[in-house]
Amino acid sequence: MAAHMRRRLRRGATTTAVAAAAVAALAASQAPAATLSEGSAGGDPQAAGEDTASAGNDGAATGNSPYYTDLPPLVTPDRPGSSSNLPAAGRAEAGIPATILAAYKQAEWTVATTDPTCRLPWQLLAAIGKVESGQARGGRVDADGTASPRILGPALNGQGFALIKDTDGGAYDGDAVHDRAVGPMQFIPSTWASWGQDANGDGRKDPNNIYDAALAAGRYLCANDRDLAVSADLDKAVLSYNRSTEYLNTVRSWFSYYQRGTHEVPDGAGTLPTTPSTPLPTLPGPRPGSGPSVTPSPKPSPSKPGGKPSPSPSKPGGGSTSPTPAPKPPTPPTGEPTPPAETFGSLENAGTGPLRATAGAAFDERVSVRARNALGAPLAKAPVTFTVTGDTGTLFAGGKKTVVVRTGADGTATAPELRAGEKAGEFTVTATAGIGRPRTLTYAATVTARQADAVARTDDKELVAVSGEKFTDAVTVRATYKDAAAPGVAVTATMVKDRLGVIDNDKGPYFEDEAGKPVRTLTGLTTDADGKLRLPDIHADGEAGTYLLRLTTEGGGSVVVELTVKAPAETAPEEPASPKAPKATGTPQAVKP
């Protein structure tokens, strides 16, 4: 019996009842499995230098392609070296090539993040991958996970298979006349067009890439709100992949086998399947996609009038039980799954120019990106998150650092206007889109200090001070930019020897710092809301003369102010007093002749 169970089931050669019995026996038996010798009948079929799986009939993900019918060995799998009694066949069959296993687990994780209610187990993907392509022909994939050479099924030309005329112009399967099942998970091109994924982030949806194909299979199996932890939903999912109860039983057997244990083996070291299933002719029946016809279990016939009812089997210890109903066959899918939303292929700059603005001003440019699908077409209604990162105080309109914008019909999304903060410096704007492996674009942006292209005194009073004193009139200037007041503009004041400000002056008038020490250059001065600036007090030292004060602004404005220092007024010496004639006293005496 065990030897019989090890023989591969063939579609049309084994009845559904026998297949079900085989699965039941597989689950219950622990008998050793015979090791298949190399070169067993069948082998890995090839055509035109490309390995081929098989193809089948209507409306399923694989076009009901033929599949490999090998059953797992009737032993519990285990890791190498953990059981001295484990047959070699069990170890080999339980091994899954490293890249293939990684792709299944990544697909399980990705689906869990986007559709957690599906509860997709990676072991189900492994079971389907085993049946469809022998785990990509034992893990014959390149460093990126792409099958090399491609895995193609036979042309679905109606000769032993379904008749499916070309739907992709040969883009995926190289056949511009009829479709073929493609890749490790054996999607037909028309199904891949709706369900293809880019799981490895290379910007392409490639059915020959195990990462892309595994994620596409996972999403397909989860369609129609299925919960794959529920047996009935899992059956529906598998039947939607290939509409055959025998196929379901074969996948179920591998699923159960991998659930009991598996391990990683090097790429290219996996075991190869031997014989594909026998294709069925295309038969008239339900419309494509309606599922296989299932013969219901016969109902018990009523007893004849007057006859005695058949006795019911008794429970141990007495009592009766109702007859055990015949197991119901899996419920076929009710229709084609709804295709998922398109996935990202790329995110590109949609013409955003240099991002530069003066502090406090709006940026002339707005960040714009374009999303494309894996085929390069614009991707509409995709959410794009724009984020400002940096300490310049720059924000989007409305005072937000993060905004979400959906792409339009042309695939573009444009962020709101940016308004520069008050601090000069650099920052970045990041655009992110996509789930699982998000696409990201980063734009550098610069905030420059406020500018003034002109600065001038607000009056024309002569600025004069006596040596050793301070100037009685303060210096007041007004900065403008394009003839308008320039508030918040930085101004530098420096005592210079020439009007161009090439040589600083270390003598003459000076300012005082906070400690009261003389300084001849002041920085950090800023114009007020009207663009005006009143300089601190200016002191004159001991030397008289004419000196120059130069004021410059961000943006190129400058003005030179003359400062005059005079020596203190000298005091005139006192003149000696003139001799005065003595006053006559007494009575003048007359002079005698």
Side-chain angles (χ1 to χ4, degrees), residues 111-139:
V111 171
T113 62
T114 58
D115 187 8
T117 60
C118 175
R119 295 193 282 183
L120 170 73
W122 67 261
Q123 291 90 344
L124 179 59
L125 296 175
I128 291 175
K130 178 67 174 180
V131 169
E132 292 294 345
S133 67
Q135 311 298 18
R137 301 186 314 267

Side-chain angles (χ1 to χ4, degrees), residues 33 75-77 91 109 124 233 274 325 341 346 393 482 489 494-495 517:
V75 294
T76 300
R91 291 180 181 176
W109 179 86
L124 179 59
D233 277 4
T274 55
S346 64
K482 296 181 179 180
V489 174
T494 306
M495 301 296 176
K517 295 181 179 180

Side-chain angles (χ1 to χ4, degrees), residues 356-363 392-395 418-423 427 446-448 450:
R356 290 191 293 264
T358 303
F363 282 75
T392 64
T394 301
L395 299 170
L418 281 167
R419 180 162 290 277
E422 290 299 330
K423 183 178 179 181
F427 68 97
T446 303
V447 176
T448 58
R450 292 175 183 265

